[in-house]
Amino acid sequence: MPRQPLVQFQVDYLQILDENGRVDAALEPSLPQATLLQIHRCMTLARLLDRRMHILQQQGRMGTFPSCYGQEAAGLGCVLALRPDDWLVPAYRETSALFYRGLPMKNVLLFWMGLEEGNYWSPQLRVLSIPILIGSQTLHAVGIALACQIRGSDEVTMVFFGDGATSEGDFHEACNLAGVYQAPVVFVCINNQYAISVPRCLQSHSETLAQKAIAYGFPGIVVDGNDVLACYVAAQEAVQRARRGQGPTLIECLTYRLGPHTTADDPRRYRSEQERLQWEAKDPLKRWRIYLEQRGLWSESQQLELERELLAEIDAAVRQAEYDLAHADPLEMFDFVYAELPPDLAAQRREAAEHVAQTDTVSASARR
Amino acid sequence: MPRQPLVQFQVDYLQILDENGRVDAALEPSLPQATLLQIHRCMTLARLLDRRMHILQQQGRMGTFPSCYGQEAAGLGCVLALRPDDWLVPAYRETSALFYRGLPMKNVLLFWMGLEEGNYWSPQLRVLSIPILIGSQTLHAVGIALACQIRGSDEVTMVFFGDGATSEGDFHEACNLAGVYQAPVVFVCINNQYAISVPRCLQSHSETLAQKAIAYGFPGIVVDGNDVLACYVAAQEAVQRARRGQGPTLIECLTYRLGPHTTADDPRRYRSEQERLQWEAKDPLKRWRIYLEQRGLWSESQQLELERELLAEIDAAVRQAEYDLAHADPLEMFDFVYAELPPDLAAQRREAAEHVAQTDTVSASARR
Amino acid sequence: MALRNMVQALNWALRQEMARDERVVVFGEDVARQGGVFRVTEGLLEQFGSKRVFDTPVSEAGIIGISTGLALAGMRPVCEIQFSGFMFNAFHQLGLMAARYRSRSRGLYSVPMVVRAPWGGGVRALELHNESEEAVYAQMPGVKVVIPSRPRRARALLVASIRDPDPVVFLEPKRVYRSLREEVPDEEEVFPIGKAEIVRSGRNLTLITYGAFLQECLQAAELAERDFGVTIEVIDLLTIVPMDTRTIVESVKKTGRCVIVHEAPRSCGIAAEIIARINEQCLLYLHAPIARVTGYDIPYPFFAREHAYLPTIPRILDAIRRTLEF
Amino acid sequence: MALRNMVQALNWALRQEMARDERVVVFGEDVARQGGVFRVTEGLLEQFGSKRVFDTPVSEAGIIGISTGLALAGMRPVCEIQFSGFMFNAFHQLGLMAARYRSRSRGLYSVPMVVRAPWGGGVRALELHNESEEAVYAQMPGVKVVIPSRPRRARALLVASIRDPDPVVFLEPKRVYRSLREEVPDEEEVFPIGKAEIVRSGRNLTLITYGAFLQECLQAAELAERDFGVTIEVIDLLTIVPMDTRTIVESVKKTGRCVIVHEAPRSCGIAAEIIARINEQCLLYLHAPIARVTGYDIPYPFFAREHAYLPTIPRILDAIRRTLEF
Ligand SMILES: Cc1ncc(C[n+]2csc(CCOP(=O)(O)OP(=O)(O)O)c2C)c(N)n1
Ligand SMILES: Cc1ncc(C[n+]2csc(CCOP(=O)(O)OP(=O)(O)O)c2C)c(N)n1
Ligand SMILES: [Mg+2]
Ligand SMILES: [Mg+2]
C-alpha cells in the first residue's frame, strides 16, 4: 500500500460589494431598504463616536480606548444574520454591530470612562459583557451555545475576536469543544491585520485564519470584511447551519484598523503610511454609501442631515455618561462581587467608607 | 467576483509494513541489520517490563503507571530518525523509544516508584523529563528547538504527546509558535484512540489529528503507528525538513493502547472486547517479528534467548531500583527546589529533619 | 439514614440536585461513561442522559470556560477538573473571567457554577496529582471555596454550592474519599457556605484545619488531651473563602492558643491569613505564637517522599505541645 | 552616573546583559518592533537583531512555555508578559512546569529564565491591566519573585534576576515607570535577590511595603514623624519570594509595631505572610496588632473607582496612628 491521500480540504473567499461599490448581482442578498439605511446609520455613528471619543480621551475625559475606524462593516454585516433572541458575544471593537443590536451609546462611553456600569444593559439584548482578556470570550460563547442546545431551543451564538486571539489556547479549546458538541455557534474572526504592533504574518504561519476550522472539523470561509453584504451572506449561511444543528463555522473577515490600536498607540512605529492608504481606499463606509446612492436610497443632503442628528445624539450621550460618572459611588465596587456581601467583606466595605469620606480632610493634612 | 476557492489542502496516509508483516518494497527504507534487531530488542523489553511493572504494582512495590502495551512501535519508529544530539521530549508511554535512546531501565522503574531520581539521567541523552501535565511538554520542545535555531546549530527536537493532548491550549500555542518561527521541531501525536475513557471521536471532530497542522501552516501526515517502518520514514522526512530549516511537521501515529490507561483503570467500562481484539491483530511486535523472520534475521530460539536475557536484566534493574528507593533520603526534597537553599527554606528543612527523625518514636506514642 | 463514604455522599448530592433542578448539568474529563476517575459521577449518565452528563476533551480552560458560558446563559453547571492541580490551566478563566462577570457587568450577569476537583495528597499519586492550591483562590475575589472533610457535610455543602448564585470551587480531599463512612440522610440536607464548624470543643487551645487533616487533628487532639491534661477545640473550616472569621476569633479569645494545620505550602497559605485575622481581631488574647503545621515551601514531592512532606500526628502534637508550653 | 527613570534603567540592564551574555534573548508581545507597550525593550531589536529580540503572537502560556524550553536548552530567556494579569493564562506553565523542572529532574534540568511584567494599578488602565498577583507565586515553590520600587534597584535586581539560575518573576510597578528618576550608574551593578532594604530607619514603627507604594509609604512616614513625634522605619522588600524575614524581624523587634502596605487583595496576600512570620519569630515584641493597608478582597475595579480601592497616604497614616495609639 503506497502513500495515499486521506483527506482534502478547501477554503473559499467571498466578496459581493467591491471596493468601488460595484455589487455582484448574482450574489447580492435582498435586504429590506430600512435595514440598508439602518446599516448606514450604525456605521456612521460608530465612526463619528470614535472621533468624538478620541477628543474626549485627549481632554482627559475618557481612558484609552480601541479605535474601530475602518472596521465598521465586518461585525455589523455578520450581526445582520442574527435574530433578536440569538446571543452576541462581542470583542471590544464591534461598536457598529452593538448599535445595530440596540446597545445605548452611553454604555460604550461609560465602559471606556472606566465604569462597570458601561457593561450594564438590558438582558433582552443578549449581548455579553465586553471582554478584555483576549480570546477568553470564545469559550463563553460555546458555553452559551451549549446551554441553548441542551435546552432544545434554536438560538444561535455569534462570537467576535481578532486575528491575535486565534493564537490563544482559549480560542483553540473553544473551537475544539464547539466541534465536538456541534454547538450552535458562529466564530467570527475580525482580522484587522494587526495585534497591536504584531502583523498577521507573525500571528500564524497559516495562509488564512479561516483554515484553522479544518483543525476542528467544521467549515471556514474568508470574506471581504469591508463588505457588509459578503459578511452578511457568509454569516447567514453559518447561522442557518448552526440553527439546523449542523455545528459551528469560522468566518474570517479581512479588514484593517485604519486608526491606532488604542489612543496610547502610535502605528507609525510598525506599519507604513502606504499600507494604510491602500486600505483606506477600501473604506467600508465609502463603499456602502455608493451602494446606497446607486440604489437611489441616499443623497448628500441626507448624509449631512444624518451626521447632524448623530452628533446631537452623541452630545446628549456624552452628557449623560459624564453625569453618571460624576455621580458614581465608589463604594459600590463592593456590591457586585457576590450576590450577597459576606460579613468580612462588609467589614472591608465599612473600612473603605471611612476613607472615602475622610479623603478630603486627611489628604489636605497630607498636603500641609 | 463570485465565491472562489482560496486555499486547498491534503493529508496523506502512510503504511509500509502491514498487519500481516507484508512490506511495500517500493517504500521500504534501508536500515542496518543491527538496527532492525535493536528495534526488536527495545520493543520486546518495553513489553516485558510493562508486564513486570504490572505485577510490581499489584504487589504494592510500585505506584500506578501507564501501560505502553500495543504502542511499542510508534515512538520507537520515529526516534530512529534522530541523531544522538537531537532532542527528545517524551510523553509517558514511549518506553521503547527511550530504551532505544539509551535510557537505563532503572530510571523508568524509579519514576513510577515515586522518586524524582527516575528523571535523573545523563544530560548527553538529550531526553527531557517525563511530563505529567498533558500537552505542556509541546511548548518546551518548541523552546528547545528555538534555542538550537538561535544558536545556529542543526539539532532537531522531537516531541511526543497523545490524542488527548491535542485538545489542550498548550498544544495549540506550541504548534502556532513553531509555525511562526519555523522551529526545527517534529510533533508526534501518538493517537492510541483514547484519553483514559474518552474515545478519539470525542476528542476532536476533525477527521484526522494530522490535519490540525493546516491550522499552523505546516504539513501533517497520518501513519500506521504499529508499523515501525512507516513511522521511521515519515519521521525521517520531517526531521530532514526541520534540519533544513523548513519548519515543523505533525505526524499522527495511529495505534491502540491494548492495556488499561493505568493500573487504576478498567477499560471494560468504556470499550468493547471486540474492538480490542481487532487491534490486537495489528500488534506491532508480531508484525515486526514476521518481518525479521522473512528477512532471515530471527528465529524462535533467538526469541527465547532474548526474552531470558531481558528478564534477567529486568530483575537486576528492579533490584537496583528498590535498593535506591530504600536508601532515598526524604529530606533531599528540599535540595533541588532552587540552586541554593534560601535561608527560610533551610529553616523549614531543619524543621522537617526533626520530624523525620522523631517519626518513629512519636508515632509510636500516637499508637499508644 | 444510610452509611455513606464521601464518594457516595457526593454522588447522592449530585443525583438529588439533578433530579430537583433540570438546569444542573455535569461534565468533565471521564465523568460520563467512566463515572469519574474516582467514581463520584457514577451512574449519572445512565440516570440523566447524555445531554446533562457528558465527557469533555482534555481541556481544563475549556471546561471552566464553557461552564462559565453555561452559567451565564442560565444553566447550573457542575463541572469536574480531574485533579485540582490542573486548575492551574484554567486560572485565567476562573479568576479573571468567571469570578468577575458579576462585578464587571454590575450584576447583569452572574456565574452560578460549581467546579469540583479531587484535591490534596497522601494517596501515592503521580506528580501534580496532589496539589493544594486553595490559598490561590483567596487572591481571586469573586469565587468561593469549599473543602469538606467528611461525607455528611460534603453532601450538604455540595448541595449548597450548586444552589449558590456565585462560582464555587469545591475541593474534595481524595484521601478521605473512601476512608470513612458516616450517616448521610437520604432526605435533602443543606449546610451553609461560609460557616465553620466546631467539631470538638475545648478550652486550652484552638486547632484549626480543613479537608483530610481533620482526621489527624481529631486524633492529635485526643492524644494531647490525654498526654497534656488539656482540652482542645477543633475547628473545621469547611468554607475557605469567604472565611468564618467570627468562629475562629471567638474560639481563640477563649483558648488563647492556636495551631493551624494544612497540606498546602506554608507561605501565603490559609494559615497565614488566619494568623493575620487573629492578629487583627484578638491579638491580646494570645498566650503564645500561633503555630503552623503545613506543607513546606517546596513542590509536592513525588510520592515516595510524600510522608515527609505532609503534616503528621506527631508534627501536630509537637506544635500543640510547644504552643501549650510557650 | 546618569539620571534614569525606571523604564530607562531596565532598558539599560537589558542592553548590558545582552551585550555581556549572548545566551540572553528577549521576546514577548510587541517587544521587538514596538519596543514594548511601555518601551522597556526599546532599541534592543536594532542593537541585537531579530534572532535575539523577537515578537510573539498573543500567547502567554506559549511565551512562558517556550521560555522554559529555551532555558532548559541553555539559553537565558527574558520574556515579557504584557501586563502581569495575563500571567494567569500561563500559571500552569510557570507554577507546575518551569518552577519544578529542577526538582522533578533532581537537578538535571533547570530553568534560568526571567519573566518580566508591568504590574499593579493606578494608571487608569483597562480591566485586568492592574493586577497584583504576587502572592499567588508564593504558592508556586520554585519561582522567585522580585518587585523593584525605584530605578536604581530595578536595574541592579534585573541584572541579578537574569543571572539567577532559577526562574524569576520580575514585576515592574508601572505607576513608577516614568514618575521618578534616580542616579543609575552606567557601570555594572547587581543587587542580591532575597535582600530587603531599610530605606529609612526609625525606632517606633516598622512600615513594610514594596513596589509603587514605597513612595506613599515614605511620604506617610515623613508626615507621621512630624505629626506624631515618632520615627518610622521603612522597609522595601524588593524580593517577595524568598522573603528576607530576618530584616523584618530585626526591625520589628526594635520597633514593636508594624504596618504593611500593598495593592493586592488582602486575604492570603504578602502582608498575611509577614504577619505570620512575625507571629512566629517575635510575637512577644509586639505592642500592637500589625495593621494591613491593602487592596480589598474584590476584583480590581474599573479605573473610575480605582482611587477608592488603592491604599492612599491617608489610609497609611491612619493605620500608623492606630497602631501607635493602640
Ligand atoms: C490574554 C491577553 N493577552 C494580551 C493582552 C494585551 N492586548 C490587548 S489587545 C491585544 C492585541 C489583540 O489583537 P487582536 O486579537 O488582533 O484584536 P485587535 O486589537 O486587533 O482588534 C493585546 C495583545 C490582553 N488584553 N489579553
Ligand atoms: C493538564 C492535564 N489534564 C488532565 C490530566 C489527567 N490525565 C492524565 S492522562 C490523561 C489522558 C491523556 O490522553 P492522551 O493525551 O491521549 O494520552 P494517553 O494517556 O492516551 O497516552 C488525562 C486526562 C493530566 N495529567 N494533565
Ligand atoms: Mg487584530
Ligand atoms: Mg491517547
Side-chain angles (χ1 to χ4, degrees), chain A residues 87 116-117 119-121 127-129 136 139-140 143-144 147 149-151 170 173 177 181 332 336 338-339 344, chain C residues 51 55-57 59 61-62 65-66 69 73 92-93 101-104 106 108-109 142-143 165-166 243 245 277:
Chain A
W87 281 84
E116 287 82 351
E117 283 84 335
N119 271 328
Y120 185 80
W121 48 65
V127 173
L128 197 60
S129 316
S136 61
L139 279 165
H140 309 155
I144 292 171
Q149 190 188 55
I150 292 167
R151 284 195 289 248
D170 281 3
E173 301 194 25
L177 288 160
Y181 302 123
E332 285 179 8
F336 298 95
Y338 298 100
D344 288 353
Chain C
K51 274 208 159 171
D55 286 318
T56 67
S59 178
I66 62 170
H92 59 298
Q93 278 292 341
Y101 260 109
R102 187 186 289 281
S103 66
R104 78 160 55 85
R106 231 181 125 79
L108 171 61
Y109 288 110
V143 298
D166 288 304
M243 204 185 278
T245 317
R277 293 183 186 202

Side-chain angles (χ1 to χ4, degrees), chain D residues 239-301:
Chain D
T239 298
I240 309 304
V241 180
M243 204 186 277
D244 182 358
T245 317
R246 207 170 134 183
T247 298
I248 296 169
V249 167
E250 278 172 11
S251 176
V252 173
K253 279 187 177 166
K254 181 174 67 177
T255 62
R257 298 178 198 267
C258 182
V259 172
I260 310 167
V261 180
H262 62 60
E263 310 182 33
R266 184 169 303 168
S267 289
C268 294
I270 297 298
E273 181 57 29
I274 294 173
I275 294 172
R277 293 183 186 204
I278 291 173
N279 151 82
E280 279 155 1
Q281 301 191 24
C282 56
L283 179 72
L284 296 189
Y285 291 82
L286 281 184
H287 303 315
I290 301 162
R292 294 191 276 184
V293 182
T294 66
Y296 302 107
D297 288 324
I298 63 177
Y300 194 98

Side-chain angles (χ1 to χ4, degrees), chain B residues 87-88 90 103-104 107 116-130 335-339, chain D residues 71-74 100-112 165-166:
Chain B
W87 280 85
L88 172 56
L103 195 94
N107 281 97
E116 287 83 350
E117 283 84 335
N119 272 328
Y120 186 80
W121 48 66
S122 163
Q124 265 139 35
L125 291 182
R126 296 218 158 168
V127 172
L128 198 59
S129 317
I130 293 175
D335 300 343
F336 298 93
V337 182
Y338 298 100
Chain D
L72 287 167
R100 303 190 185 193
Y101 261 110
R102 187 186 288 282
S103 65
R104 77 160 56 84
S105 72
R106 230 180 126 81
L108 170 61
Y109 288 110
S110 62
V111 181
D166 289 303

Side-chain angles (χ1 to χ4, degrees), chain D:
Chain D
M1 289 268 200
L3 271 181
R4 290 187 166 94
N5 65 27
M6 191 180 284
V7 168
Q8 294 163 331
L10 294 168
N11 185 272
W12 191 243
L14 290 170
R15 268 178 211 273
Q16 282 196 325
E17 286 304 292
M18 290 193 79
R20 179 180 169 275
D21 182 349
E22 61 173 24
R23 297 172 304 170
V24 178
V25 290
V26 168
F27 54 95
E29 296 160 18
D30 306 289
V31 302
R33 266 193 298 176
Q34 172 92 305
V37 291
F38 290 103
R39 308 280 182 261
V40 172
T41 53
E42 178 137 45
L44 298 182
L45 172 64
E46 292 71 14
Q47 189 173 343
F48 299 102
S50 59
K51 273 207 160 173
R52 294 183 59 199
V53 183
F54 50 95
D55 285 318
T56 66
V58 188
S59 179
E60 290 77 18
I63 291 169
I64 304 293
I66 62 171
S67 194
T68 304
L70 282 157
L72 287 167
M75 304 295 286
R76 293 279 175 160
V78 181
C79 64
E80 177 178 307
I81 296 294
Q82 200 161 74
F83 289 86
S84 77
F86 309 143
M87 293 290 300
F88 277 69
N89 289 53
F91 275 165
H92 60 298
Q93 279 290 340
L94 183 76
L96 304 184
M97 297 311 295
R100 303 190 185 193
Y101 261 110
R102 187 186 288 282
S103 65
R104 77 160 56 84
S105 72
R106 230 180 126 81
L108 170 61
Y109 288 110
S110 62
V111 181
M113 76 178 181
V114 180
V115 185
R116 291 182 40 249
W119 162 91
V123 298
R124 287 173 60 80
L126 287 176
E127 194 201 354
L128 306 182
H129 288 63
N130 306 288
E131 307 310 300
S132 296
E133 79 295 356
E134 64 276 13
V136 173
Y137 304 113
Q139 291 279 306
M140 297 180 188
V143 298
K144 299 178 178 176
V145 183
V146 171
I147 307 183
S149 49
R150 296 187 294 198
R152 183 164 181 171
R153 291 289 175 261
R155 183 280 191 103
L157 278 161
L158 183 52
V159 171
S161 301
I162 295 172
R163 299 183 189 176
D164 197 272
D166 289 303
V168 178
V169 177
F170 191 91
L171 300 173
E172 304 168 1
K174 62 177 91 74
R175 192 158 62 86
V176 294
Y177 261 155
R178 295 176 184 278
S179 74
L180 64 128
R181 288 160 163 274
E182 258 185 347
E183 297 281 354
V184 175
D186 283 349
E187 316 73 59
E188 175 171 311
E189 191 175 57
V190 185
F191 189 89
I193 292 180
K195 277 297 302 162
E197 195 173 13
I198 297 175
V199 289
R200 179 186 183 108
S201 70
R203 286 180 319 275
N204 304 90
L205 185 140
T206 303
L207 185 56
I208 303 175
T209 193
Y210 52 92
F213 276 92
L214 179 63
Q215 300 317 308
E216 278 78 2
C217 284
L218 287 172
Q219 289 177 53
E222 209 171 301
L223 289 169
E225 296 203 352
R226 205 196 43 204
D227 291 0
F228 310 135
V230 292
T231 62
I232 300 217
E233 184 139 302
V234 180
I235 295 179
D236 182 4
L237 283 185
L238 296 172
T239 298
I240 309 304
V241 180
M243 204 186 277
D244 182 358
T245 317
R246 207 170 134 183
T247 298
I248 296 169
V249 167
E250 278 172 11
S251 176
V252 173
K253 279 187 177 166
K254 181 174 67 177
T255 62
R257 298 178 198 267
C258 182
V259 172
I260 310 167
V261 180
H262 62 60
E263 310 182 33
R266 184 169 303 168
S267 289
C268 294
I270 297 298
E273 181 57 29
I274 294 173
I275 294 172
R277 293 183 186 204
I278 291 173
N279 151 82
E280 279 155 1
Q281 301 191 24
C282 56
L283 179 72
L284 296 189
Y285 291 82
L286 281 184
H287 303 315
I290 301 162
R292 294 191 276 184
V293 182
T294 66
Y296 302 107
D297 288 324
I298 63 177
Y300 194 98
F302 286 17
F303 65 80
R305 290 186 171 90
E306 71 179 336
H307 64 283
Y309 175 86
L310 288 171
T312 56
I313 293 177
R315 270 176 74 190
I316 301 169
L317 267 178
D318 203 45
I320 291 175
R321 186 182 46 73
R322 288 183 208 212
T323 306
L324 289 171
E325 289 174 359
F326 185 83

Side-chain angles (χ1 to χ4, degrees), chain B residues 2 37 127 134 144 148 210 234 257 259 264 273 297 339:
Chain B
L37 294 174
V127 172
I134 298 294
I144 293 171
C148 300
R257 155 168 68 69
E273 183 57 18
L297 292 173

